[in-house]
Amino acid sequence: MAAYIESNDVTEEKKQFIAVKLSSEIYGIDIGYVDTIVRMQKITRVPKAQSYFKGVINLRGEIVPVMSIRLKMGFEDDVFTNASRIIILKIEDQGKLGVIVDEVKEVVNLGEDEIDKPSHDAKENKHSFINGIGKNGDELISLFDINAMTEEN
Amino acid sequence: MDVSQYLEIFIDETSEHIQSLSDNIMALESEPDNKDVVNEIFRAAHSLKGMAGTMGFKRMQHMTHDMENVFQEVRNDTIKVDSDMIDLLFQCLDAIEGYLAIIKETSDEGTNDNEAIIQKLNGFLKSAEDASAAEAAAPAEEAKAESTPAVGEKKFLQLDLEEKDKKKIREALDAGQKVYGMTVYICKDCLLKAARAFLVFKAVEEFAEIIVYAPSSQDIEDEKFENDFSIFFTTEEALDKIVAAAKSVSEIEDATADAITEEFLEDAAADISAPAVQEAEEVTDTSTAPAAAPASAPAKPASSGNSAATPKKQTGKPVTGRTVRVDIEKLDALMNQVSELIIAKNSLVSLSANNGAGMQNQTYQEQIEYLERITTGLHESVMKVRMVPIESVVNKFPRMIRDLSRNLNKKMELIMTGEETELDRTVVDQIGDPLQHLLRNSADHGLESAEVRKERGKPETGTITLNAFQEGNNVIIQVGDDGNGIDTEAVKAKAIERGLVSPEQAENLSQKEIIDFLFMPSFSMAKQITDISGRGVGLDVVKSNIEALGGDVEVKSVYGEGSTFTVRLPLTLAIIQALMVIIGDEKYAISLGSIVSIEDIPITDIKYVEAKEVINMRGTVIPIIRLNQLLDIAPPEEEQESLTIVIISKGDKQVGLVVDDLMGQQEIVIKSLGSFIDNSTKIISGATILGDGEVALILDVNTLM
């Protein structure tokens, strides 16, 4: 019984992240921002938009812009597979935004002590989209700074 | 009493009354002797007072009360309307609007007493009192003179009282008391007449003793009277005070009183025979309102008195449409549902189009067409509910121009047409500021000073026009003046000075391109401090405000003759009729409102002017735009022999858009692209969802011209 209570206490302090795969790395998205996850679907291109915007999709009657995290971070373009997903984020005051990931792995719980500050100096890399490194057992998860990600480059 | 639930109604109605006051005071300025206008103002001020009183807004009540008093005197011809008074009245209106603004925010009227204005109002009253003092010297004589049936309002003089009532009055007179008669008129639409009457009695009894009621107090209590009743009372107080007390009761239209003398009683007796005859005619009249004919009170006012009172009442409220106030959020919800319905209908349509060929089902098709008709109709109805005339915005402008005219010391008049033009509520709410800026611009900088106008042979009074009308799917509002016009040379010089263009480039600029400089943020400011404006509100703000509403603004100007600003606004915001086109493998929607025609042009008919592609269509040279190039779409692999060109127009300009294929006409629901996607080119005005769930973008063709 005592053990149960103890573990329960710990969970309360833990934050939940959706672990997703991009290239070979695992990234974490704070579940508080996640509205829903949908399968890859037809994306309508918007001319003259920023290059990292793939376009817009119809999410149950709502128009939602879809961004490529890969392009935003300067990686090579997405290759859509059966595992590709669009994670719909809900950003305060700005509405919904979809981001494309290669694969959704799992939901992980990370406590304060399991999250480290990013290893690099913030001044060195102004366009960092990572605001923490999570340790899930042996695995390292780069945690996205959602605000930095939704800002203009 | 908790009145918070009435607050919204109060705010709405107060705004209406303020507007009506403003309109009428403007009218009064041009025709100071028009009694109808004075009455209208009096009535509006009075209603305001009553409402403010009911809601417990004492300061507002005080202010309107004093305004009302001034108008009472104007009505009695003891004060003449002059421009000082009009100015003061406008100050009062501003003060009342100030109260209203505070009430809107805090549900309280605030603490500004506006003493200065009230004192000025009272100053007018005082001058009136001095004038009327002389007349008041002979009230008894007047009473006698007025006891003929010709007197309109003083009905108590024509009452044939019962003997016991007469006896009471006689006794009072014999005892040396001062007896007065008073007739009180209650507003026609008052619901609780008896309660109002009771309040009047209470008010009067503070200063006087009521000895006779006509009709009897019992009948009054039972509401067995029409819109007026009379009382006789004895008092030592001044009559004015009592009349004012009676009038201060809300929903009391008017009260008139006079002293009663012995002669009155005799006259009344003598008069009995005359009204009796008339009363016979009146029987038919009263049968329609049986409750109003009190059996126990034969003291029915003579019909002559009635007819004298009626015309006054008829000048009352203008006939307004029956309206229901609906929360805009509820309408938005309804609108959203209609949008959903249209999307659902569209998907049925596309379903039937796909399966159509083999479908045996004729009735299925018919049902879909039926559904289409219903949804379109429903959409139009909902849209219409959201539409309001721009009147509510533009009717404050005459006042503004009047003020500007005084401040700038220029003579000018505003001519408005098309105030009844309707626009979506959201647009109307936001169009006020831009229009105001344009009008100020015209008044301040467009119109020349009187001397210059004279030199140029123009009438001394400058004319500013505001015309609104509908054109296709747009509403056009034009603000024009017959003033100076835009000095394009000066603007050009300024642009060169600011390094926006080189002198060589400037030489080749068209007039329109030069005028466009005025809409540039930094540009207009600098220009304005010197000779266009000093307010720091530039045309750039006007432009961005209007563009935020999905509209645009254009200027035409002839130096020395005047300028016209043309504001074009979309009629509706949410759902439009559109032509669906295909470019490459992408689908786009073009608003049907801007499409002139669709042409099939052989490739050989394409000519070049200044290295740009044009077509010569029925004598008009129209530039063409290849949408695939504009939208970064790969061109079709093999060059076709002819091009499908959609001709669009904006104002008198036309452009041809080359598309690959046409899908047909469709009703589309406009959805926003959101704030994430950079849309600074504004080519895409939004997106829509097609019947099959696919997203198609909407081209804003206005940006292409």
Side-chain angles (χ1 to χ4, degrees):
Chain A
M1 191 62 192
Y4 171 74
I5 290 169
E6 201 178 312
S7 74
N8 199 22
D9 278 349
V10 175
T11 340
E12 268 174 25
E13 283 170 24
K14 281 186 173 179
K15 275 176 112 177
Q16 287 193 310
F17 292 86
I18 301 222
V20 300
K21 209 173 123 188
L22 276 172
S23 299
S24 51
E25 270 185 81
I26 304 291
Y27 291 87
I29 298 174
D30 186 341
I31 210 160
Y33 288 102
V34 178
D35 181 68
T36 178
I37 301 175
V38 295
R39 285 180 167 274
M40 199 38 131
Q41 52 178 285
K42 184 170 188 270
I43 301 177
T44 304
R45 186 186 69 96
V46 178
K48 311 287 180 199
Q50 302 95 317
S51 57
Y52 50 84
F53 268 105
K54 285 282 171 186
V56 290
I57 57 165
N58 166 14
L59 182 78
R60 292 184 281 276
E62 204 177 330
I63 303 285
V64 178
V66 176
M67 185 175 88
S68 159
I69 307 183
R70 278 166 169 265
L71 290 179
K72 177 98 182 188
M73 295 200 300
F75 297 174
E76 61 201 52
D77 202 355
D78 302 74
V79 180
F80 299 146
T81 67
N82 232 355
S84 296
R85 293 287 183 275
I86 301 174
I87 298 185
I88 309 292
L89 306 175
K90 207 167 182 175
I91 319 284
E92 212 156 294
D93 297 336
Q94 283 188 284
K96 290 179 182 167
L97 172 69
V99 293
I100 302 165
V101 297
D102 292 351
E103 194 183 335
V104 174
K105 306 283 277 187
E106 58 184 331
V107 176
V108 295
N109 294 307
L110 297 176
E112 290 258 327
D113 53 335
E114 288 167 306
I115 301 176
D116 286 346
K117 286 282 133 210
S119 51
H120 54 76
D121 188 3
K123 281 175 205 158
E124 255 171 58
N125 188 352
K126 276 186 189 161
H127 295 306
S128 171
F129 303 110
I130 308 299
N131 61 1
I133 308 286
K135 285 173 290 188
N136 185 28
D138 299 341
E139 212 173 34
L140 289 182
I141 301 177
S142 309
L143 304 178
F144 277 127
D145 177 352
I146 301 293
N147 288 324
M149 202 159 69
T150 55
E151 267 165 30
E152 288 280 313
N153 273 2
Chain B
M1 185 170 80
D2 179 27
V3 291
S4 57
Q5 53 174 325
Y6 304 117
L7 196 63
E8 261 176 52
I9 301 174
F10 170 77
I11 290 171
D12 282 345
E13 294 194 346
T14 305
S15 316
E16 277 167 26
H17 283 306
I18 291 176
Q19 187 55 51
S20 137
L21 274 173
S22 170
D23 291 348
N24 282 308
I25 294 174
M26 290 288 290
L28 188 66
E29 187 171 34
S30 48
E31 34 182 343
D33 296 323
N34 189 333
K35 278 285 174 290
D36 283 350
V37 175
V38 174
N39 284 335
E40 197 54 53
I41 295 174
F42 182 78
R43 208 163 285 129
H46 186 84
S47 311
L48 266 182
K49 182 181 81 175
M51 280 159 44
T54 316
M55 299 294 289
F57 298 133
K58 289 275 176 305
R59 292 183 179 84
M60 194 159 155
Q61 186 186 11
H62 191 178
M63 166 87 60
T64 43
H65 175 77
D66 288 350
M67 265 177 92
E68 189 190 341
N69 283 349
V70 170
F71 274 102
Q72 178 65 29
E73 296 306 325
V74 173
R75 222 154 62 153
N76 295 346
D77 280 328
T78 44
I79 310 186
K80 277 270 164 264
V81 177
D82 57 21
S83 66
D84 281 349
M85 180 157 152
I86 301 276
D87 282 343
L88 179 61
L89 289 171
F90 276 130
Q91 281 177 25
C92 291
L93 275 194
D94 290 340
I96 296 170
E97 258 178 86
Y99 285 135
L100 188 64
I102 300 174
I103 290 168
K104 267 187 203 164
E105 276 176 21
T106 63
S107 1
D108 190 75
E109 59 177 338
T111 54
N112 189 350
D113 281 327
N114 287 305
E115 271 303 333
I117 298 177
I118 288 177
Q119 261 173 21
K120 277 194 217 161
L121 277 175
N122 287 331
F124 273 108
L125 277 182
K126 205 156 207 162
S127 59
E129 262 167 37
D130 294 344
S132 63
E135 288 172 39
E141 213 174 305
E142 238 174 78
K144 191 181 168 193
E146 283 175 6
S147 62
T148 57
V151 223
E153 292 174 349
K154 289 174 182 164
K155 278 193 187 175
F156 59 91
L157 294 173
Q158 297 146 21
L159 292 174
D160 42 345
L161 298 167
E162 280 183 61
E163 266 314 313
K164 63 175 166 79
D165 290 335
K166 280 188 189 172
K167 211 175 133 208
K168 277 190 206 165
I169 296 174
R170 199 165 286 133
E171 277 167 9
L173 284 170
D174 289 347
Q177 284 172 304
K178 284 185 185 141
V179 179
Y180 298 95
M182 175 154 81
T183 300
V184 178
Y185 295 87
I186 300 183
C187 284
K188 251 191 308 213
D189 44 3
C190 172
L191 291 176
L192 295 167
K193 287 188 289 186
R196 295 299 168 202
F198 177 72
L199 288 175
V200 171
F201 296 154
K202 256 189 90 175
V204 172
E205 275 168 353
E206 275 186 41
F207 310 103
E209 191 190 340
I210 302 176
I211 48 175
V212 175
Y213 298 91
S216 72
S217 58
Q218 185 61 43
D219 285 340
I220 290 177
E221 213 169 285
D222 295 344
E223 274 192 30
K224 285 184 185 165
F225 63 104
E226 288 189 17
N227 292 319
D228 58 86
F229 59 87
S230 302
I231 49 174
F232 293 85
F233 52 87
T234 63
T235 182
E236 293 302 315
E237 296 275 356
L239 184 58
D240 286 353
K241 205 163 162 189
I242 297 168
V243 174
K247 279 192 208 167
S248 68
V249 174
S250 57
E251 293 193 271
I252 294 302
E253 183 139 6
D254 202 0
T256 57
D258 232 323
I260 298 295
T261 57
E262 284 283 355
E263 283 124 283
F264 159 71
L265 293 170
E266 280 150 31
D267 278 356
D271 274 351
I272 277 181
S273 58
V277 183
Q278 281 160 326
E279 212 164 337
E281 293 167 31
E282 217 189 351
V283 175
T284 45
D285 213 76
T286 46
S287 63
T288 54
S296 62
K300 186 77 188 124
S303 60
S304 60
N306 245 344
S307 61
T310 349
K312 181 184 146 276
K313 283 173 189 163
Q314 274 170 351
T315 57
K317 287 176 187 151
V319 187
T320 48
R322 287 161 55 81
T323 57
V324 176
R325 289 177 211 274
V326 182
D327 190 339
I328 194 120
E329 276 179 27
K330 286 183 193 157
L331 279 183
D332 283 341
L334 195 57
M335 195 68 201
N336 280 339
Q337 283 160 12
V338 173
S339 309
E340 295 297 312
L341 186 61
I342 287 175
I343 291 174
K345 181 256 321 189
N346 284 348
S347 66
L348 272 181
V349 172
S350 79
L351 210 68
S352 81
N354 289 343
N355 303 342
M359 285 286 254
Q360 72 291 48
N361 240 329
Q362 179 85 33
T363 51
Y364 177 67
Q365 283 299 337
E366 277 171 13
Q367 285 307 312
I368 287 201
E369 275 164 28
Y370 182 45
L371 180 66
E372 203 159 352
R373 273 207 307 281
I374 295 174
T375 49
T376 310
L378 186 60
H379 165 222
E380 270 170 22
S381 313
V382 176
M383 242 19 260
K384 278 197 190 118
V385 176
R386 294 178 53 98
M387 303 284 264
V388 288
I390 59 165
E391 204 178 356
S392 58
V393 171
V394 300
N395 59 13
K396 67 179 180 195
F397 290 147
R399 160 85 198 277
M400 190 186 84
I401 292 294
R402 177 192 177 274
D403 289 354
L404 281 175
S405 167
R406 299 205 134 215
N407 293 341
L408 299 168
N409 212 6
K410 289 181 196 170
K411 279 191 186 161
M412 58 182 89
E413 60 175 344
L414 176 65
I415 300 171
M416 300 205 291
T417 59
E419 297 101 312
E420 71 289 342
T421 311
E422 292 191 327
L423 266 171
D424 192 281
R425 174 73 197 251
T426 350
V427 180
V428 168
D429 285 348
Q430 288 170 47
I431 193 63
D433 279 351
L435 288 183
Q436 194 172 334
H437 291 327
L438 289 179
L439 285 171
R440 282 179 175 226
N441 207 46
S442 286
D444 199 356
H445 316 296
L447 297 179
E448 316 92 326
S449 61
E451 300 87 66
V452 178
R453 289 187 70 86
K454 215 175 212 172
E455 261 171 48
R456 288 184 174 164
K458 293 179 186 178
E460 193 190 354
T461 305
T463 307
I464 298 176
T465 53
L466 191 147
N467 303 325
F469 53 92
Q470 195 176 333
E471 184 190 277
N473 267 342
N474 292 312
V475 164
I476 314 285
I477 304 176
Q478 287 177 326
V479 176
D481 61 70
D482 65 347
N484 196 37
I486 296 169
D487 181 356
T488 45
E489 286 307 312
V491 176
K492 204 194 281 179
K494 196 90 194 170
I496 297 167
E497 185 191 313
R498 292 183 58 93
L500 294 167
V501 285
S502 67
E504 297 77 40
Q505 282 173 314
E507 282 313 304
N508 293 324
L509 291 175
S510 67
Q511 201 210 8
K512 185 187 173 300
E513 284 168 314
I514 294 167
I515 291 175
D516 278 347
F517 282 125
L518 291 176
F519 288 103
M520 287 173 62
S522 56
F523 191 89
S524 55
M525 297 295 285
K527 182 78 185 159
Q528 285 184 348
I529 291 161
T530 52
D531 53 306
I532 295 192
S533 174
R535 264 180 214 89
V537 179
L539 288 175
D540 60 312
V541 178
V542 171
K543 191 180 164 94
S544 60
N545 280 353
I546 288 168
E547 281 178 353
L549 295 170
D552 62 47
V553 55
E554 272 180 353
V555 199
K556 279 215 177 79
S557 177
V558 178
Y559 185 53
E561 286 176 26
S563 352
T564 304
F565 288 79
T566 303
V567 175
R568 185 183 306 269
L569 293 160
L571 199 53
T572 62
L573 293 177
I575 303 177
I576 56 165
Q577 288 285 345
L579 174 74
M580 301 302 301
V581 300
I582 298 175
I583 306 154
D585 56 357
E586 296 180 6
K587 292 170 186 165
Y588 289 89
I590 299 172
S591 164
L592 217 53
S594 42
I595 296 178
V596 181
S597 64
I598 299 167
E599 309 286 336
D600 228 3
I601 306 283
I603 200 105
T604 50
D605 280 7
I606 293 182
K607 305 280 185 301
Y608 290 86
V609 170
E610 289 175 6
K612 283 178 187 147
E613 291 181 305
V614 298
I615 50 170
N616 185 348
M617 203 181 65
R618 296 182 274 279
T620 321
V621 176
I622 300 173
I624 63 170
I625 296 174
R626 295 206 182 234
L627 281 182
N628 51 22
Q629 286 169 13
L630 186 77
L631 302 171
D632 310 317
I633 300 167
E637 283 176 16
E638 44 199 280
E639 187 74 20
Q640 300 108 313
E641 282 171 19
S642 71
L643 296 175
T644 308
I645 297 183
V646 179
I647 311 286
I648 53 168
S649 76
K650 181 172 108 175
D652 45 10
K653 276 178 291 183
Q654 295 195 338
V655 171
L657 304 177
V658 181
V659 301
D660 291 351
D661 207 353
L662 302 172
M663 273 174 74
Q665 181 184 336
Q666 208 175 77
E667 201 165 41
I668 58 168
V669 179
I670 302 176
K671 306 219 172 209
S672 155
L673 285 181
S675 57
F676 291 109
I677 290 191
D678 171 38
N679 191 20
S680 48
T681 58
K682 297 199 175 113
I683 297 175
I684 307 297
S685 62
T688 190
I689 294 167
L690 302 178
D692 57 3
E694 203 182 320
V695 180
L697 301 177
I698 304 163
L699 283 179
D700 183 359
V701 293
N702 281 332
T703 61
L704 303 179
M705 283 180 269

